[in-house]
Amino acid sequence: MLLMKLIEHFVGGKLFSGSSDRKGKVFNPATGEQESEVKLASKSDLNQAVGIAKKAFETWSLKPALQRARVMFKFKELIEKNSDELTKLIVSEHGKVFEDARGSLTRGLEVVEFACGIPHLLKGEFSENVGTNVDSWSMRQPLGVVAGITPFNFPAMVPMWMFPIAIACGNTFILKPSEKDPSCSIMLAQLLTEAGLPDGVFNVVNGDKESVDAILENSDIKAVSFVGSTPIAKYIYENSAKNEKRVQALGGAKNHLVVMPDCDLDGAVNGLMGAAYGSAGERCMAQSVAVAVGDIGDELVSRLSKKAEALKVGPGMDKASEMGPLVTKEHLERVKGYVDLGVKEGAKLVVDGRDLKLQGYENGFYIGGCLFDHVNKDMRIYKEEIFGPVLSVVRVKTFEEAAKLINDHEYGNGVSIYTRDGDAGRTFASNIQVGMVGINVPIPVPMAFHSFGGWKRSLFGDSAMHGMEGIKFYTKLKTVTSRWPSGIRSNAEFVMPTMK
Ligand code: NAD
């Protein structure tokens, strides 16, 4: 019998077993086979890691920012050198196709590149003579131990939205990745060590709710970054705040792409295909609702259905595949359940991918692309996040009706409009109640030097991820006011000091 691979934690610069015997199962979604087991940490394992990170903070936080940046430069080189291996790890545990997985790694790498500029990014402000011979300056200092809790759908990129900036700012980090695809985080930790990061600065604790609750309860953890589904994001937000932690908690999404009658329809259809079915719809920026405005609906659905039927579904390592499997069997059943529900709710199922079977991969977690027409705002398949390759077309008469539909939705992560009308595009960007907006761009994910974050129930907290929002989230502001008296001592003053 083959011995099952065991994925441990990474704490204090090395692999760490912890004391818990609990383990989770990690599958290869392409074959449906279990390939490894992952350790699920206990509260005491987590607390042990935090103790080590707290100790490491004492010296790491005092290192000049330039030295911290040099570790980031080296880390960037190592990611580039090991990009194939990291990408294969993503494919083997998540299922997405190889080039898409590589693209997600590159988007994470871009945050490392941003963090390489940390000496510049941490520069404060200085005002000479705020009062006579009085100067004032501000600086941003690290918080201490901070934690990241991440979802299954981007096992490299989402953790990399967080930790490069957090550690470049001088914090130490505990990452609790998704237990469904944990291997990539361990490899990133090993590469950081190889890049010269001191032991204990970056730690990976694998686990489930038990370790998440231990993070929320540990008073040495000063800030929590979370990305995942909305109910858990709300739980993290409430409990972090209750335990006096800074928190940013990004949740789920239901993103709309508005197709105006004047748009380049080929551009919109191609944009929708990639945005709805790429990564099998398991993206928080997936476009899962196409809003057809005016009389464009019939032509839009006809072109989409031909392409959705022709989608090449297969294992992520097969170069011909455009879409891979879903992450687990449970998730596959959930997505199929939503397609069944849409049919019951009265939407028209134009393309049905439920019965897809792949020769040689009969046990893989595959579903073909699904396309619904005539979906309306009262259906659950419209209101809820499906997180699979299911695109719903909603037909409306006017631009105003499309905007109202989107603004009334509980989620506000991403949105796009396809149009040739500059006025419609500009009005849309100004008025729409969504955090990330695309104009003739299907997936408007901000670059690393901007910030990523939705509105409404897609983000709880005040800060988006990375960019300057990330620098602010992982540092606290200190403002110093100073005077160096030259011999003449002033008398005590009992009134509010004002400029003299
Ligand atoms: P999830 O909420 O199930 O899990 C996210 C993390 O929370 C994991 O680390 C998991 O171990 C932990 N967790 C799960 N249940 C928990 C519980 N009861 N108590 C405490 N911790 C718990 O999310 P997922 O299924 O891994 O990821 C998919 C979701 O993530 C989708 O809703 C997607 O929209 C969202 N997502 C959002 C963004 C964004 O930027 N807004 C980005 C990526 C993914």
Side-chain angles (χ1 to χ4, degrees):
M1 201 178 79
L2 274 179
L3 217 56
M4 186 75 65
K5 183 180 141 201
L6 179 66
I7 303 161
E8 301 189 289
H9 317 291
F10 188 94
V11 176
K14 51 183 184 301
L15 292 172
F16 169 71
S17 297
S19 57
S20 160
D21 288 333
R22 292 190 314 121
K23 289 177 201 143
K25 293 179 180 177
V26 180
F27 290 88
N28 180 341
T31 59
E33 301 285 316
Q34 187 190 344
E35 295 214 332
S36 15
E37 290 182 312
V38 58
K39 283 251 172 181
L40 302 176
S42 64
K43 184 173 180 172
S44 98
D45 295 337
L46 186 279
N47 288 345
Q48 208 177 325
V50 175
I52 288 168
K54 190 179 176 190
K55 186 86 193 124
F57 179 76
E58 289 171 14
T59 42
W60 178 245
S61 57
L62 298 180
K63 283 229 187 293
L66 203 59
Q67 284 184 24
R68 298 198 299 256
R70 285 186 185 134
V71 175
M72 286 295 137
F73 275 107
K74 188 78 196 147
F75 181 47
K76 167 185 151 56
E77 266 177 51
L78 289 170
I79 291 172
E80 284 164 344
K81 201 169 129 200
N82 292 279
S83 139
D84 277 358
E85 207 177 323
L86 282 161
T87 305
K88 277 187 208 149
L89 277 183
I90 299 173
V91 176
S92 67
E93 293 181 354
H94 176 281
K96 63 179 79 182
V97 300
F98 189 84
E99 284 309 322
D100 182 38
R102 194 202 289 285
S104 71
L105 181 66
T106 304
R107 297 306 294 258
L109 177 65
E110 287 161 6
V111 182
V112 179
E113 290 168 345
F114 175 72
C116 286
I118 200 68
H120 178 74
L121 296 166
L122 284 180
K123 279 195 312 198
E125 294 177 318
F126 184 90
S127 301
E128 187 184 24
N129 250 7
V130 290
T132 308
N133 293 332
V134 177
D135 302 327
S136 188
W137 72 90
S138 64
M139 53 187 150
R140 303 206 69 97
Q141 295 187 326
L143 307 176
V145 184
V146 299
I149 303 162
T150 54
F152 78 82
N153 66 325
F154 286 108
M157 182 183 82
V158 170
M160 289 164 88
W161 284 352
M162 304 170 180
F163 73 77
I165 297 183
I167 62 184
C169 285
N171 301 286
T172 55
F173 202 93
I174 304 283
L175 173 63
K176 206 303 282 170
S178 169
E179 61 275 42
K180 296 188 179 115
D181 45 16
S183 291
C184 208
S185 301
I186 299 291
M187 184 163 174
L188 289 170
Q190 285 163 332
L191 294 180
L192 275 166
T193 302
E194 199 180 330
L197 192 75
D199 295 348
V201 175
F202 180 72
N203 309 279
V204 180
V205 177
N206 285 309
D208 53 6
K209 182 171 166 52
E210 184 170 338
S211 47
V212 170
D213 286 341
I215 288 174
L216 298 174
E217 285 160 19
N218 189 309
S219 59
D220 285 326
I221 293 182
K222 301 300 174 197
V224 177
S225 300
F226 172 87
V227 176
S229 59
T230 287
I232 312 296
K234 187 166 182 285
Y235 173 80
I236 302 285
Y237 178 66
E238 289 171 352
N239 287 285
S240 300
K242 195 170 88 188
N243 293 324
E244 303 177 11
K245 297 178 198 311
R246 195 175 278 201
V247 56
Q248 51 181 181
L250 278 61
K254 192 83 182 178
N255 305 313
H256 299 68
L257 189 148
V258 178
V259 183
M260 294 293 284
D262 69 337
C263 77
D264 161 14
L265 193 54
D266 279 338
V269 168
N270 287 332
L272 267 168
M273 286 303 297
Y277 302 113
S279 199
E282 292 169 321
R283 289 180 182 146
C284 66
M285 288 294 273
Q287 297 286 7
S288 50
V289 183
V291 186
V293 179
D295 57 6
I296 199 98
D298 288 346
E299 187 57 28
L300 176 69
V301 171
S302 147
R303 293 197 200 184
L304 278 173
S305 62
K306 285 190 196 100
K307 288 193 181 254
E309 271 161 8
L311 255 180
K312 295 194 191 83
V313 183
M317 290 307 290
D318 182 341
K319 283 205 166 68
S321 305
E322 293 169 326
M323 191 175 100
L326 291 172
V327 68
T328 56
K329 189 161 185 348
E330 293 70 40
H331 191 53
L332 174 65
E333 294 309 326
R334 186 174 170 271
V335 171
K336 279 188 180 167
Y338 268 110
V339 182
D340 298 344
L341 175 69
V343 174
K344 270 199 214 118
E345 289 184 312
K348 183 174 172 203
L349 185 58
V350 183
V351 180
D352 182 357
R354 283 174 295 183
D355 291 329
L356 182 92
K357 278 273 168 281
L358 286 185
Q359 212 181 353
Y361 294 93
E362 286 77 6
N363 296 324
F365 310 138
Y366 298 95
I367 180 170
C370 298
L371 177 67
F372 276 114
D373 193 7
H374 298 290
V375 173
N376 71 48
K377 68 178 174 46
D378 299 318
M379 294 177 179
R380 276 183 56 203
I381 59 159
Y382 172 73
K383 292 194 270 197
E384 297 172 18
E385 182 182 45
I386 299 174
F387 223 54
V390 183
L391 175 61
S392 295
V393 178
V394 179
R395 296 174 180 233
V396 299
K397 292 197 176 67
T398 61
F399 169 83
E400 289 72 22
E401 205 186 325
K404 181 166 176 5
L405 189 72
I406 295 162
N407 287 344
D408 287 348
H409 205 286
E410 69 167 306
Y411 294 119
N413 214 38
V415 73
S416 282
I417 185 167
Y418 271 68
T419 180
R420 288 193 171 95
D421 178 346
D423 180 37
R426 191 178 183 285
T427 306
F428 187 77
S430 295
N431 297 348
I432 211 73
Q433 299 299 302
V434 174
M436 293 172 281
V437 183
I439 300 174
N440 298 316
V441 168
I443 313 182
V445 173
M447 298 298 285
F449 36 92
H450 284 267
S451 300
F452 183 107
W455 286 11
K456 299 189 274 187
R457 302 191 83 234
S458 293
L459 192 156
F460 299 86
D462 304 322
S463 310
M465 297 266 163
H466 62 70
M468 290 314 291
E469 294 258 314
I471 301 287
K472 284 194 180 153
F473 183 77
Y474 290 122
T475 53
K476 48 194 173 191
L477 177 71
K478 185 181 275 179
T479 307
V480 181
T481 305
S482 92
R483 169 163 55 196
W484 294 99
S486 48
I488 309 150
R489 306 271 171 233
S490 51
N491 295 324
E493 288 183 20
F494 297 100
V495 294
M496 190 79 181
T498 54
M499 241 234 302
K500 288 175 191 150

